[in-house]
């Protein structure tokens, strides 16, 4: 009896539409978030993640409405991230139907945000998203970045993840900025290093391009694997990703036989 | 019973209860979210959700006399379903919140799960109790858990008559669900467990409708 590896499609949402680009640039339209949420729910996604990359207040308001409509479509956990700076932001999203929130830049700027969210809503609602890239001057070999990978935060990604864990994060979403959007596979070295050093669940993200990438990330130590464009554009189905993880001897949740 | 049964979801400031409401609505039951004493006591079925820490939940629950609501429903044999921390608070205490008294329907404590990775987060199997009505037809399915504390099997000495424990495992075996007369509870979130969770909620509603 063992908890299953989770396969999580991620919707990057800008002004009410799902978009996908390389390194957060050259964004392409990938569809309607509500339609995609519904599709992934019925295709056996274990959770759904919704990242708001809107830059404007109006975009954020649209997103809140989208979160509500997505939450109505599915009976699996929904994580929402993007632009969360306060407990009030978290409260608004939970009330809109999110089960968890993911914080990133705002927590790096003001780490106490993690303590505040965890002590008010519990660690289980809080995913700390770490956008990491290779940087040999950092002791772990990885640095953390902010603003969607555009700026260096000037600190070690692993030590930041450990601090986030101690402050009360419930999970770490480890996103490789080097691999993101390349479809060359997950950063296995990074996953393995973080898995050894952290005692909370680790979601691997960035770089999924083909079916074989998923079991490799799991073997490297990921408790969950997250991807966007390969799922949106139909390169890999949720079911195919799960079956390849199962074929490698890992446990996944498959639809019942009846 | 004729007509539509009424299920109340107890609102005491705990988490995403809209999803509990929506999931229950799929069973055909009419659902109200309430913190009103009379409404909660008199509903055909009552769901007591719970997220966050044990102590916080007990504080929130007591603020709306939720402890009395649950006790009164038990006394009258009315169906009550606890979810997640809503299972844990049925016990006497938890090492998560030292000094806080739970509802103490069961005289045992909740402890931190001895696992290398916590929280226990994701879809896991359950060893359903023989004769369980909750798990009828979904014995082999996975359910969505997210918690770091639980009732450990090795410390358990519950030998109450009619007490049906179902177990799961993460680092150690822990209580995944219990059925005890009109009282049921699950450590996992049926409202987040896809079709299997909806089936389980339907089983619960059907057991008393």
């Amino acid at each position: 009896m063992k908890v299953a590896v989770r396969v999580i499609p991620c919707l990057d949402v800008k002004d009410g539409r799902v978009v996908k680009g390389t390194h957060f640039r050259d964004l392409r339209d990938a569809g309607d978030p509500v339609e995609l949420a519904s599709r992934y729910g019925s295709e056996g996604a274990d959770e759904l993640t919704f990242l708001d990359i809107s830059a404007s207040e109006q975009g954020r308001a649209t997103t809140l409405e989208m979160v509500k409509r997505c939450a109505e479509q599915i009976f699996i956990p929904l994580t929402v991230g993007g632009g969360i700076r306060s407990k009030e932001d978290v409260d608004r999203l939970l009330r809109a139907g999110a089960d968890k929130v993911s914080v990133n830049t705002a927590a790096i700027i003001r780490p106490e945000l993690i303590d505040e969210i965890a002590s008010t809503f519990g660690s289980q609602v809080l995913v700390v998203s770490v956008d990491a890239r290779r940087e040999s001057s950092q002791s772990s070999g990885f640095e953390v970045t902010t603003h969607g990978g555009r700026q260096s935060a000037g600190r070690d990604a692993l030590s930041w993840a450990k601090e986030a864990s101690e402050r009360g994060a419930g999970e770490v979403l480890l996103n490789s900025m080097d691999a993101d959007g390349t479809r060359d596979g997950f950063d296995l070295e990074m996953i393995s290093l973080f898995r050894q050093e952290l005692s909370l669940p680790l979601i691997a993200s960035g770089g999924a391009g083909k079916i074989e990438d998923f079991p490799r990330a799991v073997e490297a130590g990921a408790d969950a694997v997250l991807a966007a464009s390969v799922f949106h554009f139909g390169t890999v189905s949720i079911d195919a990703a799960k079956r390849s993880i199962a074929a490698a001897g890992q446990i996944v949740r498959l639809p019942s036989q009846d | 019973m004729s007509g539509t049964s009424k299920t109340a979801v107890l609102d005491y400031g705990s988490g995403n209860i809209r999803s509990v409401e929506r999931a229950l609505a799929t069973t055909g039951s009419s659902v109200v979210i309430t913190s009103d004493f009379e409404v909660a006591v008199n509903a055909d079925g009552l769901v007591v959700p719970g997220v966050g820490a044990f102590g916080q939940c007990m504080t929130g629950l007591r603020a709306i006399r939720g402890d009395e609501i649950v006790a009164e429903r038990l006394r009258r044999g009315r169906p009550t379903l606890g979810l997640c921390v809503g299972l844990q608070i049925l016990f006497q205490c938890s090492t998560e919140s030292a000094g806080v008294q739970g509802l103490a329907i069961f005289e045992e404590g909740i402890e931190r799960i001895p696992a290398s990775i916590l929280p226990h987060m994701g879809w896991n199997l359950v060893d359903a109790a023989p004769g369980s009505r909750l798990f009828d037809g979904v014995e082999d399915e996975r359910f969505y858990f997210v918690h770091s504390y639980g009732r450990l099997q090795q410390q358990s000495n519950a030998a109450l008559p009619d007490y049906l424990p179902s177990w799961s495992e993460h680092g150690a075996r822990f209580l995944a669900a219990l059925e005890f007369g009109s009282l049921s509870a699950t450590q996992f979130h049926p409202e987040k467990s896809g079709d299997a969770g909806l089936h389980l909620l339907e089983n619960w509603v059907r057991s008393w409708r």
Side-chain angles (χ1 to χ4, degrees), chain A residues 1-4 6 46-47 71-72 74-77 97-100 119-120 124 170-171 195 199-201 223 251-253 256, chain B residues 16 22-23 26 51-52 56 116-127 141-142 144 146 167-169 191-194 198:
Chain A
M1 197 177 283
K2 205 175 160 215
V3 67
R6 287 167 286 154
D46 295 311
E47 287 185 21
E72 280 165 14
I74 52 171
F75 291 103
I76 55 173
D99 298 288
K100 310 186 213 180
S119 66
T120 308
Q124 81 289 338
E171 270 181 297
R195 176 66 290 157
S199 62
L200 73 184
D223 300 287
I251 293 165
V252 291
R253 176 181 71 112
S256 52
Chain B
N16 178 5
R22 275 193 315 113
T26 67
V51 298
Q56 273 173 319
S116 56
I117 297 176
L118 284 178
H120 171 226
M121 179 144 353
W123 300 76
N124 211 335
L125 294 168
V126 172
D127 255 348
E141 298 291 338
R142 289 179 179 270
Y144 189 83
V146 46
W167 304 96
S168 187
E169 189 177 324
E191 78 281 11
K192 290 288 148 191
S193 297
L198 298 181

Side-chain angles (χ1 to χ4, degrees), chain B residues 1-7 24 26-30 44 79 133 202-209:
Chain B
M1 195 180 290
S2 64
T4 309
S5 61
K6 198 167 91 179
T7 308
L24 283 166
T26 67
T27 68
S29 189
S30 90
D44 298 321
R133 296 178 78 170
E202 203 178 325
N203 283 348
W204 177 65
V205 170
R206 234 191 248 154
S207 73
W208 48 264
R209 183 160 57 196

Side-chain angles (χ1 to χ4, degrees), chain A residues 1-14:
Chain A
M1 197 177 283
K2 205 175 160 215
V3 67
V5 172
R6 287 167 286 154
V7 175
I8 307 174
C10 177
L11 311 181
D12 295 304
V13 180
K14 188 170 192 292

Side-chain angles (χ1 to χ4, degrees), chain B residues 71-130:
Chain B
E72 184 58 20
R73 290 187 63 90
L74 267 183
R75 201 177 62 76
R76 300 194 200 173
R78 293 211 164 134
T80 305
L81 174 67
L83 303 180
C84 197
V85 186
L87 172 145
Q88 299 180 6
I89 55 171
L90 302 175
F91 289 80
Q92 188 148 16
C93 56
S94 171
T95 54
E96 183 179 23
S97 307
V100 176
Q101 170 88 9
L103 298 180
I105 294 158
F106 306 106
E107 292 179 356
E108 297 185 319
I110 300 295
E111 289 164 61
R112 195 169 170 86
I113 292 172
S116 56
I117 297 176
L118 284 178
H120 171 226
M121 179 144 353
W123 300 76
N124 211 335
L125 294 168
V126 172
D127 255 348

Side-chain angles (χ1 to χ4, degrees), chain A residues 214-216 218-219 242-251:
Chain A
F214 292 94
R216 284 178 193 150
V218 175
E219 276 158 23
K242 286 188 168 187
R243 289 188 191 278
S244 80
I245 294 168
Q250 304 284 346
I251 293 165

